[in-house]
Amino acid sequence: FLQMSYVNVGKTFEEIEKLTIGQAKSQVLADLYWEKGAKAYNQKDYEEALNYFEKILIDFPASSLAAQAAFYRAESLFLLDQNEVAAAAYKNFLAQFPNDESASTALFRLGVALFNQNRFDEAAITFENFIMRYPDDPLAGNAAENIPLAYAKVGKTGESERAYEELLRRTQDPTRRA
């Protein structure tokens, strides 16, 4: 109740942090962290958003907000071009929340983050896994286009050709096929 009253009277996040040192953390604080993190994320202040999402994961790992916080933590890192850390965050998210509604986006972004690190073999495998797991997802076409590119980057022409053939098989639009 005390923590809720701090929020209700308009205490700042920093004031609440100081006033609650040593206290058991309540869901009110988790909700406050989420609200602040989402606001910062929507304002494209990914550094600040990252701090709030990490606070949820540290202080409230069993919270109903943990999956969202883990996903948006990875997204914030990705949007800050911290591809190595983002890839690890996406892997952690997928390991902890494999059936979350954001899992498809996380798997696709993992592939992109790996590609951006020149880890082309891993990126290709990740995109292949994405297509197998989410064949009807709107990002499946993009994943299919990235597979041959990734294999070509490491000189695996056989795998690249096979991936291009699979891409042609998947593509119904005659203009795109051309």
Side-chain angles (χ1 to χ4, degrees):
F1 290 115
L2 186 58
Q3 292 170 9
M4 192 180 309
S5 70
Y6 293 151
V7 173
N8 288 336
V9 297
K11 296 282 186 190
T12 67
F13 172 71
E14 291 77 18
E15 291 172 322
I16 293 171
E17 277 290 297
K18 288 177 185 172
L19 291 167
T20 60
I21 292 174
Q23 295 179 6
K25 305 292 184 183
S26 73
Q27 185 62 38
V28 171
L29 287 180
D31 293 341
L32 177 64
Y33 294 158
W34 174 255
E35 182 182 314
K36 299 273 190 181
K39 181 178 179 183
Y41 183 88
N42 290 333
Q43 293 175 339
K44 299 183 183 345
D45 185 351
Y46 303 118
E47 289 282 349
E48 183 175 346
L50 187 58
N51 290 330
Y52 287 111
F53 299 141
E54 287 176 346
K55 197 81 171 131
I56 292 170
L57 294 170
I58 291 167
D59 291 347
F60 304 96
S63 166
S64 61
L65 298 169
Q68 289 177 295
F71 175 75
Y72 282 102
R73 175 182 180 269
E75 287 284 280
S76 296
L77 291 163
F78 181 81
L79 292 166
L80 288 167
D81 289 325
Q82 295 181 20
N83 288 300
E84 187 174 342
V85 183
Y90 285 125
K91 286 179 182 179
N92 287 338
F93 169 77
L94 291 165
Q96 291 180 334
F97 309 102
N99 299 317
D100 189 84
E101 64 184 34
S102 298
S104 63
T105 302
L107 187 58
F108 180 82
R109 296 281 186 135
L110 171 59
V112 174
L114 293 168
F115 192 97
N116 290 344
Q117 295 175 70
N118 300 326
R119 293 166 60 184
F120 301 116
D121 276 331
E122 289 177 76
I125 292 167
T126 301
F127 289 129
E128 288 173 338
N129 288 336
F130 178 89
I131 291 170
M132 284 191 298
R133 191 161 180 197
Y134 307 104
D136 298 324
D137 190 281
L139 293 172
N142 291 3
E145 290 173 9
N146 289 330
I147 295 167
L149 296 174
Y151 281 132
K153 292 275 191 183
V154 290
K156 292 188 174 182
T157 55
E159 286 89 343
S160 184
E161 288 175 12
R162 177 189 52 77
Y164 273 121
E165 289 170 359
E166 180 61 25
L167 178 59
L168 281 171
R169 188 188 64 72
R170 289 179 51 87
T171 305
Q172 302 301 317
D173 180 15
T175 305
R176 291 200 64 183
R177 285 179 61 86

